[in-house]
Amino acid sequence: MNEFLKQKYFDNTIQEYLLALGILIVTFFIINFLKKYFLNRIKKKIEESGYNKFHYIEKITNRLLVPVLYLGAVYIALEYLSFGKEADKIISIIYQIILAYFIIRFSIALIRFLLDRYFHKNRGEEELKRIQPLYGIINLLIWVIGLIFLLDNLGFQVSTIVAGLGITGIAVALAAQALLGDLFSYFVIFLDKPFEIGDFISFDGNSGNIEKIGIKTTKIRSLSGEQLIVANSKLTNTILHNFKRLERRRVVLKLGVTYQTPLQKLEAIPEIVKSIITKNELVEFDRGHFANYGDFSLNFEFVYFILSSDYKTYMDIQQKINFDIYREFEKEKIEFAYPTQTIFINKS
């Protein structure tokens, strides 16, 4: 029996093969046990907390974490065997590359899960949508860092590579200043929040609702229906009106009546208009005065606030006030002024 176990095949005895196989079976069994135990615990904890992301956790665990554990088990088993110096070196390199791939993928999935959970719990769905474009940059950074560590472990001169990347990065930065400007503007929008998805904004003669905030451009749906695609740097470098954050609208109403209007009715106009304005809900009256003598009219000015940011509500109230003023002036026989000229002819 001992002689059988000591027989060699490819520089390894049968005993060493059996030992490696036993280690492989035991580690696989332990991994399967831990997989079922911990996944059940995680599932129960998530269901108790009400944050149902079990399917996502199960996916990244089964696809990324478990293969790493199996790979480690295979590597440990192979450590008890020797296939020659060159072959062992090749196996080690292959193992490091595969391990680095799974670790990078797992790191990306884990960071995304943690960010999703944080923003879902503390910031809301809107903030979660805003950070979606950042995932591409995060993924790229993790891949770059992971590959640098891999190359360092494989014996490459990482410092030379990093220096080369630095020079290349400067050249790329100079060639892509506009793109980087839009990227930095995206971070300004993300951190400073001058507007959010769903806000109605106006800038440089354009207006519309924010549909999507991307890394380079922001998509806006205009009132006429077409989609405006605007560079982020343009939005951060211009005066921008955000109407969603409008708490109330200031209205200046100017009226002109004819010079033939009697003084008694002129004195009554401020109270007449004030009573019409104040009887409307969501309206705060500020002032009303006989403002000045015009070329062809006696001018009144009234100021009030509509306590709503909704444009339709503003127009409905404005229309009602205009109709009521016209109706009341018609009742009191007060005439609105319009441009007129009086010509005096000397017959002599």
Side-chain angles (χ1 to χ4, degrees):
M1 186 66 179
N2 289 334
E3 291 182 1
F4 172 75
L5 293 176
K6 290 180 181 180
Q7 292 181 24
K8 283 192 173 185
Y9 297 94
F10 302 104
D11 295 329
N12 296 288
T13 63
I14 294 178
Q15 184 176 354
E16 288 171 337
Y17 281 120
L18 292 175
L19 180 61
L21 180 62
I23 291 172
L24 197 62
I25 293 172
V26 171
T27 51
F28 271 39
F29 175 80
I30 294 172
I31 291 170
N32 284 328
F33 173 78
L34 293 175
K35 172 185 169 183
K36 292 180 181 179
Y37 175 77
F38 282 108
L39 283 180
N40 288 334
R41 289 287 301 272
I42 292 171
K43 181 179 178 180
K44 184 178 179 182
K45 186 175 180 180
I46 291 173
E47 289 175 350
E48 289 175 353
S49 64
Y51 186 69
N52 188 19
K53 280 284 186 178
F54 171 71
H55 296 297
Y56 185 75
I57 295 175
E58 183 182 39
K59 184 173 75 172
I60 64 173
T61 301
N62 284 332
R63 292 185 180 181
L64 302 172
L65 182 58
V66 172
V68 170
L69 296 177
Y70 284 135
L71 184 64
V74 172
Y75 185 76
I76 292 172
L78 291 178
E79 281 290 299
Y80 287 88
L81 302 175
S82 177
F83 300 98
K85 189 175 181 180
E86 291 298 324
D88 290 344
K89 186 178 180 180
I90 293 172
I91 291 172
S92 177
I93 292 173
I94 294 173
Y95 169 78
Q96 291 182 60
I97 292 173
I98 296 174
L99 181 63
Y101 170 78
F102 279 108
I103 289 176
I104 292 171
R105 289 285 307 278
F106 179 76
S107 300
I108 291 172
L110 181 62
I111 290 174
R112 178 159 187 165
F113 169 74
L114 294 175
L115 286 174
D116 283 352
R117 182 178 181 182
Y118 171 77
F119 280 93
H120 179 82
K121 190 174 182 180
N122 299 304
R123 299 292 186 88
E125 292 296 330
E126 288 299 323
E127 287 290 328
L128 186 58
K129 291 178 183 178
R130 286 168 62 91
I131 69 164
Q132 294 300 318
L134 285 177
Y135 286 145
I137 299 175
I138 293 172
N139 293 353
L140 178 62
L141 289 175
I142 293 175
W143 273 105
V144 170
I145 293 170
L147 290 175
I148 289 174
F149 275 106
L150 174 62
L151 293 174
D152 184 53
N153 288 333
L154 294 177
F156 290 91
Q157 293 294 327
V158 177
S159 57
T160 305
I161 297 173
V162 172
L165 288 175
I167 296 170
T168 305
I170 293 172
V172 171
L174 291 173
Q177 291 184 47
L179 178 62
L180 291 176
D182 291 329
L183 177 61
F184 284 118
S185 295
Y186 169 78
F187 285 108
V188 171
I189 294 170
F190 178 75
L191 297 172
D192 195 42
K193 300 179 184 177
F195 52 81
E196 298 176 354
I197 294 174
D199 288 5
F200 183 83
I201 66 169
S202 175
F203 65 97
D204 295 343
N206 300 297
S207 59
N209 292 91
I210 302 295
E211 282 193 337
K212 183 180 179 182
I213 303 171
I215 292 177
K216 187 181 187 305
T217 61
T218 294
K219 294 179 175 60
I220 303 170
R221 182 66 60 181
S222 71
L223 291 175
S224 54
E226 72 272 17
Q227 188 181 66
L228 303 177
I229 302 174
V230 187
N232 290 333
S233 57
K234 181 175 179 62
L235 293 175
T236 55
N237 293 325
T238 189
I239 297 175
L240 187 145
H241 302 266
N242 191 332
F243 289 95
K244 188 173 182 181
R245 298 178 186 177
L246 180 70
E247 295 181 356
R248 61 179 189 170
R249 293 177 183 268
R250 184 176 185 266
V251 182
V252 178
L253 176 64
K254 294 182 179 182
L255 300 173
V257 298
T258 62
Y259 270 90
Q260 289 74 29
T261 306
L263 177 60
Q264 184 180 359
K265 290 187 177 181
L266 283 176
E267 292 175 337
I269 286 175
E271 284 300 321
I272 291 173
V273 176
K274 179 181 178 180
S275 64
I276 291 172
I277 292 173
T278 54
K279 73 179 182 180
N280 290 276
E281 293 183 1
L282 299 177
V283 175
E284 179 184 303
F285 184 81
D286 184 27
R287 61 178 177 83
H289 298 93
F290 175 22
N292 56 64
Y293 293 91
D295 293 336
F296 53 85
S297 63
L298 303 172
N299 299 320
F300 289 81
E301 185 176 273
F302 301 89
V303 177
Y304 57 93
F305 296 92
I306 295 179
L307 309 178
S308 173
S309 62
D310 183 64
Y311 187 75
K312 185 177 181 300
T313 301
Y314 156 72
M315 288 303 299
D316 288 343
I317 294 174
Q318 186 75 349
Q319 175 179 258
K320 187 176 185 305
I321 289 173
N322 289 336
F323 279 143
D324 289 345
I325 290 174
Y326 195 95
R327 189 180 296 110
E328 195 64 28
F329 276 29
E330 190 177 59
K331 179 181 174 183
E332 295 291 333
K333 293 184 171 43
I334 299 173
E335 295 184 1
F336 290 100
Y338 53 88
T340 58
Q341 287 182 341
T342 302
I343 300 175
F344 295 93
I345 300 175
N346 190 344
K347 294 182 179 180
S348 63

